[in-house]
Amino acid sequence: MIEISHVNKWYTPSFQVLTDCTTSVTKGEVVVVCGPSGSGKSTLIKCVNALEPFQSGDISVDGTKVNDPKTNLPKLRSRVGMVFQHFELFPHLKIIDNLCLAQQKVLDRSRDKAMAKGMQLLERVGLKEQAQKYPANLSGGQQQRVAIARALAMDPIVMLFDEPTSALDPEMVSEVLDVMVDLAHEGMTMMVVTHEMGFARKVANRVIFMDRGEIVEDAAKEDFFGKPRSDRAQKFLSKILSH
Amino acid sequence: MFGNLDFDVIRRALPYLFYEGMTFTLTLTGLAALGGLVFGTALALMRLSGFKILGRIAGVYVDFMRSLPLVLVIFWFYFLVPYIGQWVTGASRPISVGAFASSLITFIMFEAAYFSEIMRAGIQSISRGQPAAANALGLTYAQTMRYVVLPQAFRNMLPVLITQTIVLFQDTSLVYVLSITDFLGAASKVAQRDGRLVEMYLFAAVVYFTISCIASFGVRRLQARIAIIR
């Protein structure tokens, strides 16, 4: 589904952000990307739907090359759902309109059809009653669930999560993770940047560990949590799992 | 001191002042603000676009317009537009452009420079995550601007835009250099015809003051109502 091969990204030749990153996500797979901050994990996931450009290498999503200038990026992105760290709901639109906008403008769905789909997804994330409110009236956890519903409304073939719980108060983390776990159980293809190792243990198929722009470890979940091969991954795990 | 003032002259001139003068002033203000906003937004988008040349052109235009006195621009434009029209259409004689059309074009072009700076600040006040989220949903650049960025920028900047429009409302009185009968022009004509300069100019000042004041007050009310809660 997602093929990342030999991706390099730099701002200046001496400031390399991603170095020779190669990995893939197959259909139905849940891949968790973790690593210390500044390791390039968010940058890598943003390269997948071309929100960040990269200088060399190839990324393709469902057979379409992301870095090909001839690729219709809006069309490609409409099939790749993305959830951001800071939710990024549109503050001037009601919750339901946040869900309808792209359905109507990108997929050309009728207002009625978009509304029906939007309400169905809001019900699924448990926020049907909030449809007529504005994003600012919702808590962080609720906003992030709306953001997930907004991405799902486009019927994506794959979902990207960029630290979806990092900006949340601790007591709201689980309500968002629950939605994500359900999604994983339904067979959605997911690439998730997160520090939530509990989530990784529960639903991930593979775990990728990044450090200083490199993919240091790319292993099946059991292998990663069992005994990471690299020192850096071991150190990282011991730090975040010790509490 | 006010003993020999005749305020009845104002009452007699009211229909002329408002039907002729104020109608013109308000029409010019409204159309110039609208045109200036549209053109100014386009300039702001040019400046913020990734294309260096477009940005440079818009930048030079804005700096140029802001470094000229408005009266001079009005004056020059009135004389130049007929020749520009002749050059564009290839007509044999300078095209006659009415004083209204000429002043309207001038104000739109002049105000666009100011509105563009306001809209630029408004667009820059939107966090980069917003267009990123819109793009991630598959919206094109134009759709992202139209549905996500500009509505928020416009709302954030509405008080400043209206304040600028109030300034514009006062500036429209400068069309007197083209002998156009705007509100002030009408007042001044009556004043000179009847020899009642003090009364008429006093009254004009009161009217400009009242309208601007009410508008400023309205801005404050509006600001509280329309602001996006974050």
Side-chain angles (χ1 to χ4, degrees):
Chain A
M1 186 67 74
I2 301 175
E3 293 290 338
I4 301 173
S5 67
H6 305 293
V7 167
N8 283 284
K9 178 182 171 69
W10 60 82
Y11 292 114
T12 63
S14 60
F15 186 21
Q16 187 103 7
V17 204
L18 294 175
T19 309
D20 200 33
C21 293
T22 300
T23 188
S24 65
V25 182
T26 57
K27 194 171 181 345
E29 205 176 19
V30 177
V31 173
V32 163
V33 184
C34 63
S37 64
S39 59
K41 40 194 201 311
S42 283
T43 310
L44 181 67
I45 205 172
K46 280 179 181 155
C47 285
V48 172
N49 64 353
L51 285 183
E52 290 273 359
F54 50 93
Q55 276 70 33
S56 75
D58 283 310
I59 296 181
S60 67
V61 176
D62 198 29
T64 311
K65 235 167 121 181
V66 172
N67 49 314
D68 187 342
K70 287 195 285 285
T71 299
N72 182 344
L73 278 182
K75 194 166 177 220
L76 176 78
R77 286 170 178 151
S78 72
R79 304 171 66 209
V80 179
M82 182 146 197
V83 176
F84 295 82
Q85 183 177 2
H86 296 287
F87 332 134
E88 302 301 348
L89 296 180
F90 305 133
H92 61 302
L93 298 177
K94 286 179 181 163
I95 297 302
I96 185 67
D97 293 324
N98 263 278
L99 272 77
C100 286
L101 178 67
Q103 289 191 67
Q104 290 177 252
K105 302 302 172 191
V106 179
L107 302 180
D108 281 324
R109 285 186 187 151
S110 69
R111 174 83 186 158
D112 289 346
K113 222 174 149 193
M115 286 276 278
K117 178 95 187 170
M119 287 311 288
Q120 176 204 329
L121 282 164
L122 281 181
E123 184 161 19
R124 175 176 166 174
V125 298
L127 294 168
K128 203 175 162 196
E129 295 74 31
Q130 321 289 336
Q132 297 302 324
K133 291 189 182 163
Y134 284 91
N137 301 121
L138 270 58
S139 71
Q142 289 174 324
Q143 288 193 47
Q144 194 61 297
R145 278 144 68 198
V146 171
I148 295 173
R150 179 176 72 176
L152 290 175
M154 304 296 284
D155 293 322
I157 52 172
V158 53
M159 287 283 285
L160 309 175
F161 293 83
D162 183 12
E163 306 207 26
T165 56
S166 302
L168 293 175
D169 289 338
E171 76 267 26
M172 292 170 182
V173 170
S174 67
E175 63 187 69
V176 172
L177 287 180
D178 286 346
V179 173
M180 290 168 62
V181 168
D182 284 348
L183 210 54
H185 286 324
E186 282 167 28
M188 173 62 81
T189 311
M190 293 161 71
M191 188 167 174
V192 186
V193 173
T194 186
H195 291 139
E196 296 294 335
M197 289 302 126
F199 171 80
R201 277 221 166 94
K202 211 182 223 168
V203 295
N205 301 102
R206 271 177 35 238
V207 179
I208 292 172
F209 175 75
M210 288 184 75
D211 192 20
R212 286 176 226 152
E214 285 175 75
I215 294 181
V216 179
E217 187 123 2
D218 184 348
K221 171 180 57 176
E222 295 76 18
D223 298 340
F224 184 79
F225 287 113
K227 179 136 185 64
R229 277 163 291 175
S230 65
D231 286 351
R232 279 188 277 177
Q234 276 178 18
K235 264 188 202 147
F236 177 75
L237 271 187
S238 68
K239 265 183 198 152
I240 63 170
L241 293 180
S242 61
H243 299 289
Chain B
M1 174 191 167
F2 292 109
N4 53 1
L5 291 184
D6 172 20
F7 284 101
D8 196 50
V9 67
I10 295 169
R11 192 190 55 76
R12 276 177 276 131
L14 277 182
Y16 174 65
L17 286 178
F18 280 92
Y19 283 127
E20 291 254 330
M22 195 45 92
T23 309
F24 179 91
T25 296
L26 289 179
T27 313
L28 184 59
T29 306
L31 291 179
L34 206 66
L37 180 64
V38 173
F39 187 27
T41 304
L43 283 172
L45 290 176
M46 277 167 75
R47 266 193 120 160
L48 294 172
S49 75
F51 303 103
K52 278 226 169 69
I53 304 169
L54 278 182
R56 190 70 59 77
I57 293 171
V60 167
Y61 176 87
V62 170
D63 289 341
F64 181 69
M65 278 297 177
R66 294 208 300 181
S67 43
L68 289 175
L70 179 53
V71 178
L72 198 67
V73 181
I74 295 171
F75 210 55
W76 269 112
F77 229 75
Y78 185 58
F79 292 111
L80 278 180
V81 165
Y83 291 99
I84 295 171
Q86 180 190 18
W87 179 67
V88 169
T89 58
S92 57
R93 289 194 301 139
I95 292 179
S96 78
V97 180
F100 178 73
S102 168
S103 55
L104 179 59
I105 295 171
T106 311
F107 274 103
I108 287 177
M109 300 199 41
F110 196 83
E111 288 305 314
Y114 290 87
F115 280 126
S116 88
E117 289 299 279
I118 297 172
M119 286 309 285
R120 188 161 74 114
I123 293 168
Q124 283 176 325
S125 73
I126 311 295
S127 81
R128 292 202 2 100
Q130 287 285 305
N135 285 336
L137 284 166
L139 295 172
T140 60
Y141 171 80
Q143 287 172 326
T144 299
M145 286 298 156
R146 161 92 176 71
Y147 299 111
V148 176
V149 176
L150 289 181
Q152 293 185 57
F154 181 73
R155 266 186 226 209
N156 291 352
M157 288 296 131
L158 195 61
V160 193
L161 289 169
I162 296 181
T163 306
Q164 179 65 28
T165 305
I166 296 172
V167 175
L168 166 65
F169 167 69
Q170 293 159 7
D171 283 351
T172 54
S173 59
L174 289 174
V175 294
Y176 82 90
V177 292
L178 306 182
S179 318
I180 292 176
T181 313
D182 72 321
F183 181 73
L184 187 61
S188 137
K189 273 181 193 167
V190 174
Q192 287 174 18
R193 184 195 65 193
D194 298 352
R196 291 289 173 189
L197 296 175
V198 178
E199 294 90 331
M200 292 312 292
Y201 284 128
L202 251 178
F203 178 65
V206 169
V207 170
Y208 275 107
F209 176 81
T210 312
I211 292 180
S212 300
C213 244
I214 292 173
S216 298
F217 181 70
V219 171
R220 250 169 286 152
R221 292 277 305 264
L222 192 72
Q223 201 167 6
R225 253 191 54 191
I226 203 166
I228 306 170
I229 329 147
R230 285 172 198 284

